[in-house]
Amino acid sequence: MYKGWAQIVGVVANVRADGLEEDARPVVYYALAQIPYFSQAAAVVRSTVPAGNLMRETIRQTNPTVPVFDVQTMDDRIGESLGIRRVLASLLLAFGGIALLLAAIGIYGVIAQVVSEQTREVGVRMALGARGSQILALFMRQGLYAGGLGLLAGLAVTILVQKWVSTLLYQVRALDLATLGMALAAIVLVLMAAVWLPSRRASKIDAQMALRHE
């Protein structure tokens, strides 16, 4: 630690040296000429071309005894710090996609089974004058009601785990309204598609065939 007076020659912006999720802490930079006994020193170079070899050669010509190590681009360093979070985010995305697919298949299967069990009822309704659009709306309401309950339960769980999810994010709130809205819209579209397919099939049932259905 340097002791004594030092002249301030400039002020730099905050730097998150301990990770993107950590708050920037106060840091003071000294020139090596002021503190020549530091065992290590870091150099940051802005360049539009790879500068690693140029830095090594320059330091070698200046002082061949100085070892040069840990030369990386800033993108590589940021990538290393975010590596585990990217893996976790990818796993969450994959598992979420699989869960959404299984939910869609499950909803489709349930509604299709309900349609099969109520074939005679559909036939009676149609024989009494019910239109296909009314049958479609009937099964759509049943499916969307059940799916809506599940959607509300999932939203409640999302609110409960948002603190844990926030540790995987940077400068993005866990309950970001735009992101949450798009996710809900995508789930609703998948839900409607899973319900609409068997419901549409029910609306196309022939009344005479349905009345003879066992």
Side-chain angles (χ1 to χ4, degrees), residues 85-97:
R85 287 170 178 78
R86 286 175 174 169
V87 171
L88 291 175
S90 299
L91 289 175
L92 287 175
L93 179 62
F95 290 142

Side-chain angles (χ1 to χ4, degrees), residues 9 17 35 40 47 68-69 82 125 170 175 193 204 209 214:
V9 297
I35 311 177
Q40 295 181 4
S47 175
V68 180
F69 60 95
L82 297 178
R125 288 174 180 270
Y170 174 62
L175 291 179
K204 301 295 183 181
M209 294 292 295
E214 295 295 337

